[in-house]
Amino acid sequence: MSTPPNPPSTPNGPPTEPAGTPIPEAAPVTGPPAQAPAPTQPPSLEKNPSPEEPSPEEPSPAQNPFTQNPFAPPSPDAPAPPARPTGPAAGPGFGPGGPGGPGNPWAQPGPGFGGVPYQGYPQVAPATNGLAVAALVVGIVGILLGLVPFFFWAGAILAATALGLGIGALVRSSNGAPRKAMAVTGTVLGVLGLGAAVGGVFLTALVVEKAADRAGRGLDRHERELIPYPDSSPTFSPKPWPKPSPTPSKVPGLTSALPFGGTFTYDNGVKVSLSAPKKYQPKGIIARERVKNAIQITVTITNGSTEPHEVIYAVPNVRDDKGMTAEMVFDSGGTGGGVPKMIRGSILPGESASGVVAFEVPEGTSSISADISAGTRLADVKYAGPVA
């Protein structure tokens, strides 16, 4: 025998109408209110029933709220629903009220875990190595400036700076920074810049010597252009030309060459001599690079006349043993001032003046010849002899 299913529960009380249904008005009662009939007592089995004692009023059981009709209008005696609190938001913690106890269930919960704003993971800044770029740029500029004459000192400073920046960039690269190859390149360029600065020192010295050489050649050319001629020079005081002596058949120095070291005397008493040629060692940087074999000659002019003797240009013309004209050497180096040292100015009676000149001759030259004039109006004196 099976158990029947639970029958549907019967609602207590009369059926209620939905909320909002108008309630009809009851008709007015004109008579006295009717009294409810007294309840009938059931028959008792006892012979002498005791009189019925009034029992205390028992409280009526509370009505189940779940059995109430949700569509019924609220009763005027029903308590009012609790009002929504308007207090501050719930504090931090778990749940609406946090760990301290129950809070406002309608409060706005705080952001993040436990009411703390969510910060996210910290972003690590990417590593950079600007020292490598700086070392590369400064090293290139240092090399360029180091090779420029007179600016080698600036190149040396920049090269040293590039070397320091490159070392710092290498240290950063060892710690994980990028651009290690650029740091190595900047360090190498710093070292090369220091070498370029050293080369700039020699280039500066070379430029200075070339400038001095050109200045000396320009002065020599200017002096040659200023040599006066008897028919066009108005600067000399008029004086009788020396009468040419009768040319003998053989006059050493005029018709034949004198040996080096000999002295030739003019008719007016002026004397000239050329020393024996000897090897000359260049002292300047340019002269050492350009001149391979040179000789040195000392020129001496003595005034044996009674009047001052003017000397403007007294430089011998030198030829090697093959008849090729030797080139004069201009050497501005050395403590003695270099060569040439030419005789200029006025030589008083009884005084002498000396000068030193050097000439470049081919390797293996064993003898040379030369001629010189002690003055613009005097004849050339010839010399010849071996090279010491």
Side-chain angles (χ1 to χ4, degrees), residues 19-131:
T21 304
I23 302 175
E25 296 182 359
V29 180
T30 56
Q35 295 182 357
T40 59
Q41 296 290 336
S44 178
L45 298 180
E46 295 181 356
K47 296 181 177 181
N48 296 323
S50 60
E52 198 173 329
E53 297 179 359
S55 62
E57 185 178 359
E58 295 180 1
S60 61
Q63 189 176 4
N64 189 0
F66 297 100
T67 61
Q68 296 180 0
N69 187 2
F71 302 100
S75 175
D77 298 333
R84 181 175 179 176
T86 59
F94 297 96
N104 187 2
W106 291 278
Q108 183 69 23
F113 180 78
V116 180
Y118 181 72
Q119 301 295 334
Y121 294 102
Q123 298 295 328
V124 180
T128 59
N129 199 355
L131 294 179

Side-chain angles (χ1 to χ4, degrees), residues 12-372:
N12 297 330
T16 59
E17 297 179 356
T21 304
I23 302 175
E25 296 182 359
V29 180
T30 56
Q35 295 182 357
T40 59
Q41 296 290 336
S44 178
L45 298 180
E46 295 181 356
K47 296 181 177 181
N48 296 323
S50 60
E52 198 173 329
E53 297 179 359
S55 62
E57 185 178 359
E58 295 180 1
S60 61
Q63 189 176 4
N64 189 0
F66 297 100
T67 61
Q68 296 180 0
N69 187 2
F71 302 100
S75 175
D77 298 333
R84 181 175 179 176
T86 59
F94 297 96
N104 187 2
W106 291 278
Q108 183 69 23
F113 180 78
V116 180
Y118 181 72
Q119 301 295 334
Y121 294 102
Q123 298 295 328
V124 180
T128 59
N129 199 355
L131 294 179
V133 180
L136 181 64
V137 175
V138 176
I140 294 174
V141 178
I143 292 176
L144 296 179
L145 282 181
L147 295 175
V148 177
F150 303 103
F151 289 95
F152 60 88
W153 56 271
I157 294 176
L158 292 178
T161 304
L163 181 60
L165 292 175
I167 294 175
L170 288 176
V171 173
R172 285 191 177 184
S173 299
S174 62
N175 294 332
R179 299 173 178 171
K180 183 175 182 180
M182 190 177 295
V184 174
T185 305
T187 306
V188 174
L189 290 178
V191 176
L192 294 179
L194 293 177
V198 175
V201 176
F202 292 98
L203 288 177
T204 303
L206 185 63
V207 170
V208 171
E209 287 202 10
K210 282 187 176 181
D213 188 10
R214 290 180 181 178
R217 291 183 180 180
L219 181 61
D220 183 33
R221 188 180 303 109
H222 181 68
E223 289 181 351
R224 291 182 180 180
E225 292 176 356
L226 292 179
I227 296 177
Y229 293 93
D231 56 352
S232 62
S233 176
T235 57
F236 290 94
S237 59
K239 53 185 178 180
W241 285 87
K243 295 179 181 181
S245 57
T247 304
S249 58
K250 289 184 179 181
V251 178
L254 296 179
T255 59
S256 61
L258 288 174
F260 284 105
T263 302
F264 180 83
T265 304
Y266 291 96
D267 295 338
N268 59 355
V270 177
K271 300 177 182 180
V272 64
S273 66
L274 295 179
S275 66
K278 60 181 181 180
K279 290 288 185 180
Y280 174 76
Q281 296 295 333
K283 302 176 179 60
I285 298 177
I286 301 177
R288 288 199 302 266
E289 293 179 354
R290 295 178 53 183
V291 179
K292 304 304 180 183
N293 185 43
I295 58 165
Q296 174 182 323
I297 299 175
T298 301
V299 180
T300 304
I301 298 176
T302 304
N303 186 6
S305 65
T306 59
E307 296 179 357
H309 178 66
E310 297 292 335
V311 178
I312 297 178
Y313 184 79
V315 177
N317 297 317
V318 178
R319 292 172 295 275
D320 58 17
D321 51 4
K322 296 181 181 180
M324 299 297 295
T325 302
E327 182 180 356
M328 184 183 296
V329 175
F330 292 88
D331 186 7
S332 59
T335 57
V339 294
K341 297 179 182 178
M342 294 182 290
I343 303 174
R344 299 187 184 93
S346 178
I347 303 176
L348 298 178
E351 294 184 355
S352 299
S354 298
V356 179
V357 290
F359 295 89
E360 184 178 7
V361 296
E363 293 282 352
T365 300
S366 58
S367 62
I368 62 171
S369 60
D371 58 79
I372 185 173

